[in-house]
């Protein structure tokens, strides 16, 4: 695996690879890699000739008072993990290389997608995500992009701007990888104490129960199911930011059941903010 820090150098290398007829699979990450990330790298490796992973803790997607400074940075551990899944290139740019002095350009996604759900509580977050991913896609060039469904809103925002801006990228959203008890894998799970980790399991349990009850029931309105889910969540987590049923693609809030739905939640367990979702097709 070749470690590259310079954006121009990676861009040139990948241009050469594509000129030789090779396809490129790209997995953007902020490091502190877990099985969820590795499953994306494996998929990229299966479906492409060349696999590129980036590790960049992107300052523009963190809101004031969030965990940017303390976000886990464990590059040597990450390198060991990436070697086991056969990544070809690891791109680790510095903040100065990505946002040099005078940097002035951002990708602004419609508030309908970027200011709802997580965006309501993390103003500017998706502008930062869209900007850095657009930059990374321009550096990697034409490719397949691998994202985890755990970050459902992020995947929706990215799929939208890739389409809207005619980027030569094919977005692949892969299933959430879960720990044994159901907790969705996340780099932030390492902040949880053993007790908090046990309570956090309720998040996926409540989401899957919601899905089961919804598929079993016939009633159109979702309010009753939602109230029951919130009661159960409240017993286990310390704060619920939102628990919503939306239309996938537009993220419009739903009050009544329809064919395709995604149920998303963001909760605090202790000081750790966790997100999860389930996708429902009836
Ligand atoms: O999901 C993440 O880790 C980040 O939001 C991403 C997509 C790497 C952009 O910084």
């Amino acid at each position: 695996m070749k470690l590259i820090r310079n954006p121009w150098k990676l861009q040139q290398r990948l241009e050469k690879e594509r000129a030789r007829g090779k396809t490129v699979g790209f997995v953007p990450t902020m490091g502190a890699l877990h099985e969820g990330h590795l499953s994306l790298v494996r998929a990229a490796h299966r479906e492409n000739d060349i696999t590129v992973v980036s590790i960049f803790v992107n300052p523009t997607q963190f809101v004031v008072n969030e965990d940017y400074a303390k976000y886990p940075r464990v590059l040597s551990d990450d390198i060991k993990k990436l070697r086991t899944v056969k990544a070809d290139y690891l791109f680790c740019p510095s903040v100065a290389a990505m946002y040099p002095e005078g940097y002035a350009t951002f990708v602004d996604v419609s508030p309908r997608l970027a200011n709802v759900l997580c965006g309501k509580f993390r103003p500017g977050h998706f502008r930062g995500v869209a900007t850095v991913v657009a930059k990374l896609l321009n550096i990697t060039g034409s490719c397949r992009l691998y994202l985890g469904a755990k970050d459902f809103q992020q995947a929706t925002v990215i799929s939208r701007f890739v389409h809207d801006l005619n980027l030569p990228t094919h977005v692949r959203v892969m299933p959430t990888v879960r720990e044994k008890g159901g907790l969705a894998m996340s780099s932030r799970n390492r902040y949880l104490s053993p007790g908090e980790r046990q309570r956090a399991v309720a998040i996926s349990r409540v989401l899957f129960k919601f899905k089961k009850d919804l598929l079993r029931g016939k009633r159109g309105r979702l309010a009753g199911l939602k109230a029951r889910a919130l009661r159960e969540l409240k017993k286990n987590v310390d704060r619920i930011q939102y628990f919503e049923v939306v239309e996938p693609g537009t993220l419009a809030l739903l009050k009544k059941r329809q064919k395709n739905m995604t149920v998303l939640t963001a909760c605090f367990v202790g000081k750790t903010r966790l997100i999860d979702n389930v996708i429902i097709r009836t």
Side-chain angles (χ1 to χ4, degrees):
M1 183 173 70
K2 182 115 188 91
L3 172 69
I4 296 186
R5 294 188 181 275
N6 182 315
W8 306 114
K9 198 166 157 195
L10 182 70
Q11 211 166 31
Q12 278 171 359
R13 281 286 182 111
L14 295 180
E15 252 170 47
K16 274 191 198 145
E17 298 281 14
R18 277 191 303 274
R20 287 192 207 117
K22 308 267 191 209
T23 57
V24 174
F26 173 49
V27 183
T29 83
M30 298 204 299
L33 302 178
H34 50 70
E35 214 17 69
H37 297 114
L38 301 185
S39 75
L40 300 179
V41 182
R42 285 193 201 98
H45 185 67
R46 262 195 319 272
E47 298 176 0
N48 303 276
D49 301 314
I50 302 288
T51 301
V52 182
V53 178
S54 66
I55 294 183
F56 178 63
V57 184
N58 172 37
T60 65
Q61 71 187 73
F62 286 81
V63 175
V64 193
N65 294 330
E66 283 191 340
D67 54 346
Y68 175 66
K70 74 161 192 183
Y71 199 85
R73 289 158 173 87
V74 287
L75 187 59
S76 52
D77 276 9
D78 288 342
I79 289 177
K80 278 188 208 136
K81 289 180 184 163
L82 288 174
R83 289 218 164 98
T84 69
V85 286
K86 303 194 182 86
D88 298 294
Y89 291 97
L90 172 59
F91 179 49
C92 294
S94 65
V95 172
M98 291 297 274
Y99 300 109
E101 218 179 294
Y103 187 87
T105 308
F106 287 85
V107 176
D108 237 326
V109 178
S110 160
R112 284 197 312 276
L113 293 181
N115 292 4
V116 297
L117 305 169
C118 286
K120 201 163 152 185
F121 299 93
R122 306 184 72 190
H125 169 69
F126 289 108
R127 182 180 189 249
V129 169
T131 300
V132 79
V133 174
K135 286 169 67 63
L136 291 167
L137 290 176
N138 282 327
I139 294 164
T140 50
S142 185
C143 67
R144 285 196 190 90
L145 170 68
Y146 293 81
L147 300 170
K150 199 220 52 175
D151 300 304
F152 186 86
Q153 186 174 10
Q154 167 169 284
T156 306
V157 164
I158 293 173
S159 302
R160 188 73 240 173
F161 83 72
V162 163
H163 180 81
D164 290 348
L165 300 179
N166 305 89
L167 299 187
T169 302
H170 182 76
V171 182
R172 304 269 290 126
V173 182
M174 310 306 280
T176 301
V177 178
R178 298 181 179 279
E179 293 182 5
K180 261 208 197 101
L183 179 65
M185 291 217 179
S186 163
S187 303
R188 290 185 169 102
N189 289 355
R190 59 175 81 199
Y191 299 150
L192 298 169
S193 69
E196 289 171 342
R197 193 172 274 263
Q198 262 177 1
R199 288 195 287 128
V201 168
I203 300 171
S204 59
R205 194 175 64 232
V206 167
L207 284 168
F208 283 107
K209 173 94 169 59
F210 187 98
K211 178 174 178 172
K212 195 166 149 200
D213 291 349
L214 188 129
L215 290 173
R216 216 192 265 152
K218 294 257 176 310
R219 282 187 313 162
R221 297 189 64 76
L222 300 168
L225 282 179
K226 230 174 111 171
R228 210 180 309 157
L230 282 169
R231 272 199 304 275
E232 185 57 25
L233 257 186
K234 271 185 200 147
K235 284 188 214 156
N236 293 281
V237 307
D238 296 301
R239 184 151 50 98
I240 303 168
Q241 277 191 333
Y242 65 81
F243 185 97
E244 298 291 357
V245 186
V246 306
E247 179 175 72
T250 64
L251 302 183
L253 298 188
L254 297 175
K255 288 205 164 68
K256 284 188 188 163
R257 60 188 287 161
Q258 62 172 44
K259 203 165 181 311
N260 295 325
M261 294 164 273
T262 304
V263 191
L264 304 99
T265 187
C267 304
F268 278 88
V269 178
K271 289 194 174 124
T272 307
R273 183 177 183 278
L274 299 171
I275 58 171
D276 198 357
N277 65 79
V278 284
I279 296 167
I280 307 178
R281 295 188 185 93
T282 60

